[in-house]
């Protein structure tokens, strides 16, 4: 066996009386990559936050190189050679890329003045290593979520830590970015760095990890070398049962065209035109930064259109705000749930009913609480949202469960057109399947779906047609039958099929 | 259990204050003094209720004191010139509402930061009041309506002062809005996450206008009470009242960053401040020391109630 | 438009400590009326009870180049710099209502607040027959009027058997006069008289006393219209009259004389009197 | 190009003001008046610099006026009792710094919301000042050191008033801190995203203590200037100054929610307010209308400068 660089023993964590980690053991081996797997809410992020001093553990011991270690904050863990890339982005939007990478460790001259030249030169080095060509002086607010994710990774790498923890680093990355990241990870491994890798994408685990630790409901299920498991076995360990087919696409009846976009143009999107039929799923693929999100948000009334028309049932509609969109039967599940998908400070029930609160209100705006309880219970059940109840604050749910609340909230508005922007980002395999089943269910009920996704297998598995974007333009629309990974990729990079 | 204590910390401060006073002063625990405290609290309580709305959405309304002053002056003038009491009240409330709506428009459509927008209207309206009153108090005169109007400030109904009824009605209405109406839900949502609220199809502009409108309306109601009690409107009435109202709201456990808080808390906060003022007088604390005591109690109370989350 | 002064017309600056108190509004009105009568231009600036603003006002008037400056100091000590600034610029200064401790002043026109406090004290001694319990409502802590009036009043009653049972600030403010008096009424079973450092507080206290249905004599200070009305109606016992309009008028009068090169007295007292029923 | 205009909107307001005044008053564009305006601006500018730090981290410091008062009183007393000028200044600045650090501790370690923490210390320190001064102004006396001390307020060096030098030095130091020192980066980071700043291993408590300490220090510096100018310290000195300082910061384009803003902006904001006060006096705007005008200008200026992002 390899040398253990970190040993966590009997880690228990309670949040206001609720045990989320129970006697968990966890190891990190020198020069190896440990995968940490488990369903949403299994406790993966919490375990890593305990290791890096973000949370205090309730019980248990931590050893670094066989020495007892306990870090009171991120700074201490950094000083001891542990870097972490958190699941949720933690960048300062109003600072530049370079400033973010070196935040807290700015190079200074003898008088304490920041050495800007060096700072930007070094940043450039780190981001270009990850294939990011952005100017390091650019404000983080002005780059897309995917690029922000890369900046976050660059920041962790620049710490030059012995141990690097990556909590779902590829959530916002496309395939080529992910490949780039993997090559960096391999290089680091060759240099004897150790890593923890958390991801819900099992194929990634098989590609780069050496060992796997599986958590389920806060308990450690086991630790195995990658070479000794199959994907099915892993899934069974994670969810405690076998899962059937990955993409259960339902063949529903596809009806007439109910939605049409003509020549939609603004600062993000040029001359976008497409149609959507009743009961159809239209996948939208494209590289990071291809403005898929912006297209969706323009339709949803967040961004203004400079030109173009939108028709629903052949009738032209004017959408100037999300409210108009919802009224027209369109809802949007955001890719960025923390900032605009859900209200973290409100409870599960209140979030689910927010968009369509009117439907459970009396004439004078009185909210019927019993009705609210009833419908939110229903959604919690249907979407298997892991929560202690409707009154649980959403901020205390795990990332994947927050995503489900975000979807529930949009479903409650009973849309005829549902836009899903990266709906399974950060969602575990079991929950993913549930989301796919839900998509099918609504499809069958005649809802039309637009699904933006960076996972091409998911696009291929779930959509009837695939729309591919490249730099703000629609570079092609394919029937799924004719589409394959290569075809989509070549459209995405701007080459014709 | 721990949760119950956490939630009721403002109440604990209130109790400590009451118990201490029971030992320190004989006159404190009397029915009469109880009514006096309630009546004195009512003005701040009414303003603080509007302030609670503003703070819940992550905003603030610094203009309340000036709104109180201009509305009070106009009410006094109307009554003095023989306008019917009911009509006077309606006009005054309407004015307060209108000013509040202007604040709301500046903040929503004008996209101004609430602190600075209401700092602007606070300054502007104080100027208007000085111009309108020419720096002198306006009496309500001695007419029949004036006497009736005075009852709003000093009258009794079934042994309880009229302003206390007003305060209670305002509390109940605000509680109902926040707890049971859609608008209340939107107020909390807006205060917690504005962007998500917009994405949920809620007209946040309307919510903001409602909130500042309500705050203006309640400030004018407070102006009516003050003017009725004194039988005259002072040009510098209400200055500094915004700070008392904010203190009441925060002592009541509402977070200045929005989204968290309740009217019940504000009621307790207003009572703490009312009792504190009463206590300082009853205990004959020399004037120079009163500010010291007030500052210390505010700090003590909020330190006790500090949130888990770090503030900036 | 420009701020050029017409050649013939004298321009007088008037800096008032605050204009949201009726007393000073009267002072200003008296000055304005006199200026209109004598054909002078009067520029009125408000220091909003802040000494630094007062100094800024002075500097701005110097910049404008007025012929003379009448100043009602926010505070006798702090006004020194402002007066000195005018001295340096060669502009004569006259103080109104409150004096200046430093700097050269052509003349000081005022009624004496200490004397006024005494007057009120003696009136109460007389009415109560030399003994009883009184409440003193103090002005803004630190304001010179509050300090002087309190001083005069306490000096006067020190010679009698009158006891001050409560002494609290109500900040020269009517609404506070009401609530502070309400609270004092709770604590004190026996009160014979109230002396308030100004009429605003006295009128507030009066409301509280009326509501309590107790029989307490109220004496105020300033003789504002409201207070005089209350005295005439038999609700208030008395108020010390300072004749602020006359202070203002006398100020402009003296100013015109100085500008014309005439001599004026170093100190011009303005009568104090007690307004009673 | 659009960006340049957007960034320089405060400057545009300032220019409009100056150009308008050039037409309206002959006395405005004179060297004398220029110096007068700068000197008058200096006090607010020094306070506003500290306030810029506080607002940049998403906080606020309401206690500045009271810090100014207590520090001024102590300085006056020290000078009057014959303490050496330099020593007096050091003691006073140290006191301001210490008070500021207490604010910082209440807010960081005590986890209080800055608005309420500094509202508490504002009230408390005002009380302390009254107790210390016994409500009476404290003169600096007539000694040699007193005359020298007075020069800090009214002296000239090479035809420029001393307070103007102080203001310029404060601006440069603050600019350098914000632009080129690590602490400056942490201030912006903290104001922009506190959680992420913590995750970056930055001791946010230290940043907060630095910021409020600086604000206290600068308020005491302003207290020294005011006391030196007036030759005496008033118990009520500085009340309301927090609002002028905040107005200067916000007029300068700094966002009340933190993370965005600059010292250059604050300098312009302070000048706008200084010139406005000067202009209203020069134009003989009747005092009651001055508040109206001031409120209107503040609103106008911020409406012009409103951010793209919606405010609550
Ligand atoms: N601060 C907190 N307070 C209360 N409960 C919390 C807190 N943080 C996490 N939890 C709970 O702890 C459990 C584990 O959460 P954690 O974020 O570690 O899950 P995860 O395995 O990372 O899930 P995901 O794959 O969705 O990211 C969840 O049930 C979550 O609701
Ligand atoms: N706030 C902003 N200001 C300016 N440009 C922006 C902003 N947000 C995004 N952009 C630009 O818009 C373009 C598209 O954005 P984005 O990367 O989100 O698209 P996407 O196709 O949805 O990609 P992703 O897979 O990351 O969601 C990018 O070029 C990005 O830099
Ligand atoms: O003389 C005046 C008035 O009495 C006023 O009420 C308060 O300030 C004093 O200086
Ligand atoms: Mg996680
Ligand atoms: Mg996207």
């Amino acid at each position: 066996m390899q040398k253990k660089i970190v040993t966590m023993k009997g880690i228990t964590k309670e949040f206001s009386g609720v045990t989320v980690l129970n006697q968990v053991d966890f190891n990190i081996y020198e020069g190896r990559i440990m995968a940490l797997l488990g369903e949403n809410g299994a406790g993966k992020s919490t375990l890593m936050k305990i290791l890096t001093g973000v949370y205090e553990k309730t019980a248990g011991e931590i050893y670094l190189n066989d020495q007892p270690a306990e870090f009171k904050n991120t700074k201490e863990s950094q000083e001891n050679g542990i870097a972490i890339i958190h699941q949720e982005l933690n960048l300062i939007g109003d600072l530049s890329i370079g400033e973010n990478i070196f935040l807290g460790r700015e190079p200074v001259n003898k008088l304490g003045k920041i050495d800007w030249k060096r700072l930007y030169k070094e940043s450039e080095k780190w981001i270009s290593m990850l294939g990011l060509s952005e100017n390091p002086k650019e404000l983080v607010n002005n780059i897309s979520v995917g690029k922000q994710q890369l900046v976050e990774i660059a920041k962790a790498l620049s710490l030059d830590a012995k141990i690097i923890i990556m909590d779902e680093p590829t959530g916002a990355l496309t395939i080529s970015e992910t490949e780039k990241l993997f090559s960096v990870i391999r290089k680091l491994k060759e240099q004897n760095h150790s890593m923890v890798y958390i991801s819900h994408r099992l194929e990634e685990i098989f590609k780069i990890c050496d060992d796997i630790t599986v958590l389920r409901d806060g308990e450690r299920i086991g630790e195995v070398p990658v070479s000794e498991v199959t994907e099915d076995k892993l899934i069974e360990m994670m969810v405690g049962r076998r899962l059937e087919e990955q993409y259960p696409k339902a063949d529903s009846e596809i009806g007439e065209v109910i939605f049409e976009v003509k020549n939609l143009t603004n600062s993000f999107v040029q001359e976008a035109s497409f149609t959507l039929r009743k009961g159809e799923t239209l996948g939208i693929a494209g590289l990071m930064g291809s403005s898929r999100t912006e297209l969706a948000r323009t339709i949803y009334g967040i961004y203004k259109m400079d030109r173009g028309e939108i028709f629903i049932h052949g009738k032209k509609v004017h959408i100037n705000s999300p409210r108009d969109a919802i009224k027209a039967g369109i809802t949007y599940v955001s890719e960025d749930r923390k900032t605009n998908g859900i209200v973290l400070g409100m409870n599960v029930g209140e979030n689910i009913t927010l968009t369509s609160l009117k439907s459970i209100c009396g004439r004078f705006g009185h909210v019927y609480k019993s009705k609210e309880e009833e419908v939110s219970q229903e959604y919690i059940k249907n979407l298997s949202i892991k929560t202690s109840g409707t009154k649980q604050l959403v901020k205390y749910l795990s990332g994947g469960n927050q995503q489900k609340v975000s979807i529930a909230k949009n479903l409650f508005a009973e849309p005829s057109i549902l836009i899903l922007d990266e709906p399974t980002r950060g969602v575990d395999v079991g929950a993913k399947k549930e989301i796919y089943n839900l998509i099918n269910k609504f499809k069958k009920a005649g809802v039309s779906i637009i699904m933006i996704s960076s996972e091409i297998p998911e696009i291929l598995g779930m959509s009837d047609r695939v729309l591919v974007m490249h730099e703000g333009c629609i570079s092609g629309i394919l029937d799924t039958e004719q589409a394959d990974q290569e075809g989509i990729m070549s459209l995405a990079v701007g080459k014709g099929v | 259990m721990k949760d119950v204590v956490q939630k009721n910390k403002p109440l604990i401060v209130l109790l400590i204050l009451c118990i201490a006073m029971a030992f320190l002063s004989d006159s404190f625990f009397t029915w009469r003094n109880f009514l006096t405290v309630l009546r004195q609290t009512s003005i701040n309580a009414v303003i603080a209720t509007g302030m609670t709305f503003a703070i819940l959405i992550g905003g603030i309304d610094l203009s309340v004191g000036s709104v109180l002053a201009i509305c009070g002056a106009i009410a006094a003038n109307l009554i003095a010139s023989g306008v019917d009491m009911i009509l006077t009240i309606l006009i005054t409330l309407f004015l307060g509402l209108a000013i509040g709506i202007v604040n709301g428009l500046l903040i929503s459509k004008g996209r101004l930061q609430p602190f600075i927008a209401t700092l602007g209207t606070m300054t502007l309206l104080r100027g208007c009041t000085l111009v309108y009153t020419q720096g002198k108090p306006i009496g309500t005169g001695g007419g029949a309506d004036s006497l009736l109007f005075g009852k709003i400030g000093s009258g009794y109904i079934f042994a309880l002062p009229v302003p206390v009824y007003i305060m209670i009605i305002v509390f109940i209405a605000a509680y109902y809005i926040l707890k049971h109406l859609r608008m209340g839900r939107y107020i909390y949502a807006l205060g917690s996450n504005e962007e998500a609220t917009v994405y949920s199809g809620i007209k946040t502009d309307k919510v903001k206008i409602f909130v500042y409108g309500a705050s203006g309306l309640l400030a004018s109601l407070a102006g009516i009470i003050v003017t009725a009690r004194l039988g005259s409107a002072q040009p510098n009435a209400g200055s500094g009242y915004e700070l008392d109202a904010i203190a009441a709201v925060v002592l009541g456990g509402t977070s200045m960053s929005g989204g968290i808080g309740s009217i019940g808390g504000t009621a307790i906060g207003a009572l703490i401040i009312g009792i504190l003022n009463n206590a300082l007088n009853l205990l004959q604390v020399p004037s120079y020391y009163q500010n010291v005591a007030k500052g210390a109690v505010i700090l003590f109370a909020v330190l006790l109630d500090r949130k888990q989350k770090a503030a900036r | 438009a420009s701020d050029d002064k017409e050649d013939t017309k004298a321009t007088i600056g008037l800096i008032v400590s605050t204009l949201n108190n009726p007393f000073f509004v009267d002072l200003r009105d008296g000055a304005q009326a006199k200026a209109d009568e004598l054909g002078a231009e009067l520029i009125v600036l408000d220091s909003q009870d802040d000494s630094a603003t007062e100094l800024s006002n002075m500097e701005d008037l110097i910049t404008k180049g007025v012929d003379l400056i009448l100043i009602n100091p926010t505070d006798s000590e702090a006004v020194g710099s402002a007066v000195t600034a005018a001295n340096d610029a060669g502009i004569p200064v006259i103080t109104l209502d409150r004096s200046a401790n430093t700097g050269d002043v052509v003349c000081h026109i005022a009624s004496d607040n200490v004397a006024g406090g005494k007057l009120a004290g003696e009136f109460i001694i007389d009415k109560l027959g030399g003994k009883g319990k009184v409440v003193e409502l103090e002005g803004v802590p630190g304001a010179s009027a509050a300090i002087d009036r309190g001083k005069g009043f306490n000096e006067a009653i020190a010679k009698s058997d009158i006891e001050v049972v409560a002494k609290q600030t109500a900040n020269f403010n009517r609404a506070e006069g009401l609530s502070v008096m309400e609270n004092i009424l709770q604590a004190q079973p026996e009160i014979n008289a109230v002396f308030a450092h100004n009429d605003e507080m006295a009128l507030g206290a009066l409301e509280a006393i009326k509501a309590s249905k107790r029989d307490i004599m109220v004496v105020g200070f300033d003789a504002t219209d409201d207070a005089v009305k209350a005295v005439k109606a038999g609700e208030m016992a008395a108020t010390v009259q300072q004749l602020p309009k006359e202070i203002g008028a006398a100020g402009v009068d003296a100013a015109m004389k100085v500008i014309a090169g005439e001599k004026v007295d170093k100190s011009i007292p303005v009568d104090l009197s007690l307004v009673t029923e």
Side-chain angles (χ1 to χ4, degrees), chain C residues 21 23-24 97-98 145 149 172 198 222 242:
Chain C
N21 179 315
F23 177 84
F24 299 106
D97 180 55
R98 299 169 189 152
R149 287 167 199 178
F172 282 140
N198 80 349
D222 282 354
Q242 280 210 83

Side-chain angles (χ1 to χ4, degrees), chain A residues 378-412:
Chain A
E378 192 185 313
Y379 278 96
I380 289 172
K381 204 174 112 236
N382 283 348
L383 276 70
S384 320
I385 298 170
K386 232 180 108 184
T387 166
S388 61
T390 55
K391 297 282 183 291
Q392 169 84 299
L393 291 187
V394 172
K395 68 173 159 206
Y396 297 134
L397 297 188
S398 75
N401 283 300
Q402 291 179 354
Q403 180 70 5
K404 288 186 191 169
V405 172
S406 177
I407 293 175
K409 161 179 183 262
N410 280 278
L411 292 179
F412 182 59

Side-chain angles (χ1 to χ4, degrees), chain B residues 70-293:
Chain B
I70 186 87
C71 290
I74 284 172
N77 206 1
L78 288 173
I79 291 285
S81 28
V83 177
D84 175 71
M85 180 184 84
I86 301 289
L87 189 61
T88 299
I89 293 176
L90 289 179
I91 293 175
T92 309
L93 291 179
F94 179 80
L95 179 71
L97 177 67
I99 296 172
I101 288 176
V102 170
N103 276 333
L105 286 170
L106 286 171
I107 291 162
S108 60
K109 307 289 178 197
R111 282 184 264 113
L112 295 191
Q113 300 182 349
F115 193 101
I116 199 74
T118 57
L119 177 62
T121 51
M122 160 180 156
T123 311
L124 196 146
L125 289 172
R126 181 62 63 191
C128 292
T129 310
L130 287 171
V131 172
Y132 184 76
T133 61
Q134 284 301 305
K136 291 186 179 174
I138 302 183
T140 54
D145 265 300
S146 153
L147 289 178
L148 197 60
F149 184 73
K151 293 275 176 255
I152 299 175
S154 41
Y156 280 78
I157 303 177
F158 302 125
L160 270 188
V162 177
V164 176
Y165 285 98
I166 298 179
M167 169 174 77
I168 292 173
I169 292 170
V170 165
F171 277 153
I172 292 176
Y175 177 85
Y176 186 76
I177 291 174
L178 287 179
K179 267 281 173 175
H180 294 293
L181 292 192
R182 216 158 60 220
M183 183 54 83
R185 190 62 66 78
Y186 294 163
I187 286 172
Y188 281 102
L190 179 57
S192 292
N193 186 340
E194 175 156 12
E195 217 174 304
T197 309
V198 173
Y199 272 67
S200 299
I202 291 155
K203 288 203 175 137
T204 50
D205 285 0
K206 240 169 85 179
V207 180
K208 289 174 191 172
I209 292 168
F210 173 89
V211 162
Y212 289 96
S215 180
L217 180 78
L218 290 172
S220 72
L221 179 57
I224 291 174
I225 302 176
V226 174
T227 309
R229 283 198 79 191
L230 294 173
S232 97
Q234 319 316 116
N236 58 351
S239 51
Y241 282 24
E242 68 284 356
L243 294 182
D244 269 354
I246 294 167
V249 174
V250 177
L251 287 179
T254 295
S255 157
M256 296 280 304
S257 39
I260 300 168
S262 69
I263 282 295
T266 297
I268 293 170
L271 270 177
I272 292 175
I273 292 180
I275 289 180
L276 188 61
N277 283 329
N278 177 260
L280 291 171
N281 286 157
L282 292 187
L283 298 178
Q284 301 201 39
V285 176
S287 349
Y288 295 162
Y289 288 91
Q290 293 206 358
N291 276 325
V292 179

Side-chain angles (χ1 to χ4, degrees), chain A residues 39-46 49 86-88 167-168 198 200 337 398-400 426:
Chain A
E39 287 182 284
N40 294 134
K44 306 178 294 291
S45 299
T46 304
K49 283 181 179 170
H86 288 283
Q87 181 172 10
E88 310 288 347
D167 195 348
E168 299 192 31
I198 302 177
H200 292 293
R337 56 174 176 267
S398 75

